[in-house]
Amino acid sequence: MAQKHETKDKPEGASAGPVQTGPDPRLEDESRLAEIRRKIEEVASDAPQLAKIALEAMVRRHNPELKGTSQTAGRAGRQSGNVSELTAFATLKPGGAERLRRIFNLTNGNFDGAQRVSTLHDMRFVFFDNDTKILFATTYDGDWDAYINDFATKIPELMDLLFQSVEGWPGIADPSVKDFIARHQIDAAGWFVANPQVTVVDVRRLQRMEKAVNEMMDEVAGTDLDNSGPKALKAFLDKMSQPEGVDY
């Protein structure tokens, strides 16, 4: 008589082994790496192997949240986060470079008045082609039109002082000045901003905050916090609530 074998039902929820519920992420990584290498070969096939390896590492670590220079600043220029760039080339009038050098030397290259433009990060002036041409480069917050308007309304005298040595400069108050600037401006092909969300106003506010915090800590150091703490905190809040200069 054949022996009857009993089969036991598996406990509910038991698994026979790991179940693959989707594509293997390792395959996705390999496919992405292959695609990166293919693109690197397209754009840098003649580069040394070490350069390709470095480029591969940079692309693999790239943060997709950073938009880089993919945005336009408006009429001209590129924008990364809140920060924009303007790069312009122009021909100088005879003697223009020497005249500007005298101005730069007189002021030690420090244009404090330009801080009235609260979006201005920096301005750079470079002479080339035997002092016949000038490169003007600046970094600022926001859009192109608003920035040029700030130049015209907040530091018009400084702008005309600096740019009257440029051939064809119409004057910052002239209605054609934006057309003039746009004609001489060239968008950056590549541009990197370490902190694209931080504006000039943010920097000044953070500097004021750091100073106020340090002063508050100095005031309460070695004292009875129950007595000195509220007074120091009030002084800190008062300082932070009052804008200074162009901190707005």
Side-chain angles (χ1 to χ4, degrees), residues 226-248:
D226 289 337
N227 294 323
S228 62
K231 179 183 176 183
L233 180 59
K234 182 179 184 305
F236 168 77
L237 294 175
D238 288 344
K239 289 177 183 177
M240 293 310 303
S241 65
Q242 297 297 323
E244 294 180 2
V246 291
D247 179 19
Y248 55 83

Side-chain angles (χ1 to χ4, degrees), residues 75-76 87-88 144 176-186:
R75 182 169 178 178
T87 306
W144 189 90
S176 68
V177 72
K178 288 186 177 180
D179 293 334
F180 178 87
I181 295 171
R183 283 199 307 272
H184 290 81
Q185 186 171 345
I186 299 176

Side-chain angles (χ1 to χ4, degrees), residues 17-94:
V19 178
Q20 186 73 35
T21 58
D24 189 335
R26 292 171 298 180
L27 295 178
E28 292 182 0
D29 288 343
E30 290 177 5
S31 297
R32 179 172 177 270
L33 179 57
E35 179 64 11
I36 289 173
R37 288 174 175 169
R38 183 187 67 78
K39 290 181 178 179
I40 288 174
E41 282 299 323
E42 286 181 357
V43 302
S45 60
D46 56 345
Q49 188 60 31
L50 286 177
K52 292 180 182 179
I53 293 172
L55 183 57
E56 177 185 316
M58 183 173 68
V59 174
R60 291 175 69 178
R61 291 194 299 264
H62 177 67
N63 182 354
E65 298 300 318
L66 296 179
K67 297 183 181 300
T69 57
S70 62
Q71 300 167 282
T72 175
R75 182 169 178 178
R78 309 302 298 170
Q79 187 175 80
S80 178
N82 291 321
V83 184
S84 302
E85 62 83 28
L86 186 159
T87 306
F89 298 87
T91 300
L92 289 167
K93 296 175 182 177

Side-chain angles (χ1 to χ4, degrees), residues 73-74 78 84 89 109 116 119 139 161 183 188 200 216 224 227 244:
R78 309 302 298 170
S84 302
F89 298 87
R116 292 199 297 273
T119 57
T139 309
L161 174 68
R183 283 199 307 272
V200 174
M216 180 178 69
D224 181 359
N227 294 323
E244 294 180 2

Side-chain angles (χ1 to χ4, degrees), residues 116-135:
R116 292 199 297 273
V117 178
S118 61
T119 57
L120 172 64
H121 285 260
D122 59 67
M123 296 191 298
R124 299 174 297 288
F125 301 84
V126 180
F127 304 124
F128 61 103
D129 281 359
N130 295 319
D131 286 356
T132 61
K133 292 183 173 60
I134 187 171
L135 177 152

